[in-house]
Amino acid sequence: MIKGFDPKHHVGVHPERVSHVSSTDYPGHYPEEDNSWDLTKFKQVPTICIERVYVWDNTSIIVDEVLSHRLGLVPLNVDPILMDFPDGQPTDRNTLVFRLRARCERRRNVPKDTTDPAQLYTNHEVLSSQLEWVPQGEQASVMASRPPAPTNPNIVLVKLRPGQEIDMELHAVKGVGKDHAKFSPVATASYRLLPKIILNPAKPVPPSLADKFRECFSDGVIKVNPRTKEVSVDENQARRETMSREVYRYPAFDGCVQLARVRDHFLFNIESEGFYPPQRLLLEAIAVMRTKISTIKKAAQALLDDSGTTEDVEMAEG
């Protein structure tokens, strides 16, 4: 084992396996905490999505149910803090109203050899930018700085041909991903352990192979002194390493380096799909987790208090 490798803080990466992997059978295991964050981001952080669609007219080839489902998946740029969860009765505090109206007609004076639908017809594609927000109550003043609209204005909702039209009223509400996947605020969310490259001072990389050694890693991870050909690791760029294990293929580098991962340093990759920027999304997930931990703490404290009762403690669902 190369000096600098600590089994308590590092996970060994070898040509065919990994070593010093911690058990998942005892409390305090860090990856489980990060898995909880991933699940929380998907299921617990609220967003605003279209929930109810009232179809007044739809003569397109897409049936009402399928078109309504497509509309529900359109991400909106509304801050969930401004809205309440629905409680049965729609109000200006818990419901946003949109209208979607479009009719396809044939353009006049179009050259006979034209085949492009954009030149032949008007509204041949109904885009998400055509969703028209209809303010209710105090919404016009509360949301004046950022009117509700789709985050992407170029989503194709339906295609029309002359004579076809749609007329709908859409109601958007606040929800969480555990109720329906459309409320999930992320496209993908993942994490990985920080790569750790440990050079063996007892067996340095041969100067003649320094450039070959550098090519075994991601760009910028390994630095080579142009004069002495001495190899070093740029710790600031170590996170760019993909752990391809290419260096293990060459017998000349056997014993020169040890690949590892820092077991308690996590690199998150979050792709936001709606209102939240990625850097805020993780903080929102942590806030939800802290709320849950507080609930569990209060319930546990109630069990410890000598209140003279033997009744079970009720905990909130979710």
Side-chain angles (χ1 to χ4, degrees):
M1 186 178 299
I2 294 178
K3 182 180 179 181
F5 180 85
D6 186 353
K8 292 183 178 180
H9 296 92
H10 299 151
V11 175
V13 179
H14 306 281
E16 301 291 342
R17 62 185 179 87
V18 294
S19 64
H20 303 90
V21 179
S22 56
S23 170
T24 58
D25 297 332
Y26 60 88
H29 184 52
Y30 295 110
E32 273 61 38
E33 298 175 10
D34 290 272
N35 284 333
S36 297
W37 285 3
D38 274 346
L39 293 175
T40 301
K41 289 193 291 292
F42 279 112
K43 296 183 179 180
Q44 303 294 330
V45 178
T47 59
I48 308 298
C49 288
I50 294 172
E51 179 71 5
R52 292 180 292 273
V53 178
Y54 300 93
V55 182
W56 310 132
D57 191 8
N58 176 24
T59 56
S60 69
I61 62 172
I62 302 182
V63 297
D64 297 349
E65 293 82 356
V66 176
L67 182 55
S68 299
H69 181 270
R70 289 179 60 83
L71 291 168
L73 297 177
V74 175
L76 304 176
N77 67 346
V78 184
D79 190 345
I81 294 180
L82 302 177
M83 301 286 293
D84 297 333
F85 283 99
D87 56 1
Q89 180 64 32
T91 68
D92 61 334
R93 299 296 182 90
N94 60 26
T95 303
L96 294 174
V97 179
F98 293 88
R99 288 300 299 269
L100 179 61
R101 288 173 284 196
R103 177 182 177 85
C104 181
E105 296 180 347
R106 189 180 298 275
R107 297 181 186 272
R108 297 182 178 180
N109 302 323
V110 177
K112 294 183 179 181
D113 58 347
T114 300
T115 60
D116 184 5
Q119 299 181 18
L120 288 172
Y121 317 120
T122 61
N123 290 324
H124 76 288
E125 288 183 343
V126 180
L127 304 178
S128 55
S129 59
Q130 296 177 246
L131 289 177
E132 178 186 358
W133 174 49
V134 184
Q136 307 293 318
E138 300 177 349
Q139 292 179 354
S141 58
V142 174
M143 303 180 180
S145 61
R146 190 174 186 180
T151 57
N152 184 347
N154 299 316
I155 300 175
V156 178
L157 303 177
V158 61
K159 293 187 176 183
L160 302 178
R161 287 298 180 264
Q164 297 179 343
E165 65 178 312
I166 56 175
D167 187 2
M168 301 177 172
E169 182 175 307
L170 321 172
H171 289 189
V173 300
K174 185 176 182 177
V176 293
K178 71 175 184 178
D179 295 332
H180 195 286
K182 68 183 179 182
F183 290 107
S184 175
V186 295
T188 59
S190 61
Y191 69 89
R192 61 190 179 96
L193 298 178
L194 177 68
K196 181 71 174 178
I197 303 169
I198 306 171
L199 299 178
N200 187 0
K203 186 180 179 181
V205 177
S208 60
L209 299 176
D211 292 333
K212 184 66 176 180
F213 184 83
R214 178 176 54 189
E215 294 173 357
C216 294
F217 298 88
S218 300
D219 291 341
V221 175
I222 299 297
K223 297 188 297 184
V224 177
N225 188 307
R227 185 175 62 86
T228 64
K229 294 297 182 179
E230 182 181 359
V231 171
S232 61
V233 179
D234 188 344
E235 298 294 344
N236 294 327
Q237 300 295 328
R239 64 184 58 214
R240 302 176 61 180
E241 174 56 33
T242 60
M243 286 297 181
S244 64
R245 312 183 192 188
E246 177 73 9
V247 70
Y248 287 146
R249 296 182 56 208
Y250 302 98
F253 299 142
D254 187 21
C256 294
V257 63
Q258 169 70 60
L259 301 183
R261 290 185 182 273
V262 182
R263 71 170 71 245
D264 59 354
H265 190 143
F266 296 88
L267 305 177
F268 283 88
N269 182 54
I270 302 172
E271 296 181 17
S272 176
E273 184 64 25
F275 166 79
Y276 297 102
Q279 58 270 26
R280 178 182 167 186
L281 189 55
L282 180 60
L283 299 179
E284 292 288 341
I286 295 174
V288 173
M289 276 195 65
R290 290 174 64 91
T291 302
K292 290 179 173 294
I293 293 172
S294 178
T295 302
I296 295 174
K297 183 178 179 180
K298 291 179 180 179
Q301 186 62 44
L303 292 174
L304 295 175
D305 290 341
D306 187 13
S307 58
T309 178
T310 59
E311 296 182 358
D312 294 338
V313 177
E314 295 186 0
M315 297 178 61
E317 182 180 357

